[in-house]
Amino acid sequence: MPLIEKGRITEDRFHRVSDDDALPEGAPVLVGVDRFLKEAEALKSRQAPVGVIWPNDRPIAEIEPYLGQLSLIALVFPSFRDGRAYSQARLLRERLGWSGPLRAVGNVLRDQFLLMQRSGFDQIEAIKEDDAKAFDEAVHRYSTFYQPATDERPSLLRQRLGRTARPE
């Protein structure tokens, strides 16, 4: 699957490794949550970046003690109708202070690209190659938003308050 990062198709440098496979030496790996939690201490001393695939049915607060040893967090969208990963992304960014790469994986559709970006995702595992063009169109389609989000674009209220605020 193509990986969209900052609106462009990019090479995925992380190797997805199943629970039973050996970890490639010196290469960035992306492992499932069960393997990560079971081998957290051993992975801490690894000389290459480690990422985790975090399911949306697991409390995101459980990841907090491990944030310092992670280079990537991938949140799972098992169905396009299941939006729990959006909430996890916002919690990671706003409450837990995660500033590293945040990837959307699973059933990711073009219609969701803008909301994913606004929720804090900076990488999206897309289904099709031409999704990168659709991503660029989606994130530039609107210039004003009612809701505040993690993407730091001011909401309409913040824009209005900024214009009407008087200097002290």
Side-chain angles (χ1 to χ4, degrees):
M1 284 190 209
L3 180 67
I4 300 172
E5 184 172 24
K6 298 178 182 155
R8 292 187 169 76
I9 297 286
T10 186
E11 180 86 24
D12 187 359
R13 61 187 196 102
F14 282 82
H15 300 277
R16 198 174 283 205
V17 182
S18 70
D19 290 351
D20 300 328
D21 292 340
L23 298 177
E25 201 60 43
V29 294
L30 186 58
V31 298
V33 68
D34 293 333
R35 181 173 190 169
F36 177 77
L37 293 175
K38 191 165 93 176
E39 300 176 18
E41 281 303 312
L43 291 170
K44 201 183 282 189
S45 61
R46 187 170 158 73
Q47 297 300 312
V50 175
V52 66
I53 302 168
W54 199 267
N56 70 353
D57 60 354
R58 192 172 194 122
I60 202 67
E62 289 180 19
I63 202 171
E64 188 171 16
Y66 307 102
L67 291 178
Q69 72 186 79
L70 290 169
S71 299
L72 170 70
I73 299 174
L75 299 178
V76 180
F77 287 85
S79 163
F80 71 91
R81 289 180 238 150
D82 190 338
R84 291 177 285 181
Y86 292 116
S87 300
Q88 288 177 319
R90 290 217 42 196
L91 290 170
L92 275 167
R93 295 288 192 206
E94 294 173 0
R95 290 194 187 155
L96 301 180
W98 174 254
S99 59
L102 191 56
R103 182 181 296 185
V105 299
N107 195 347
V108 175
L109 303 178
R110 290 178 178 197
D111 294 350
Q112 300 169 315
F113 288 171
L114 177 60
L115 183 56
M116 286 178 178
Q117 186 213 27
R118 297 206 72 229
S119 298
F121 290 98
D122 29 45
Q123 297 180 357
I124 297 173
E125 240 181 45
I127 296 171
K128 300 175 187 166
E129 289 289 332
D130 58 338
D131 281 347
K133 182 179 178 187
F135 177 84
D136 190 52
E137 291 171 4
V139 299
H140 293 98
R141 185 172 297 142
Y142 303 103
S143 60
T144 306
F145 300 95
Y146 289 107
Q147 306 86 0
T150 62
D151 67 356
E152 298 181 11
R153 289 191 254 184
S155 66
L156 186 59
L157 175 64
R158 288 284 164 221
Q159 289 176 20
R160 286 182 179 165
L161 289 174
R163 280 190 227 141
T164 61
R166 296 181 187 190
E168 294 182 25

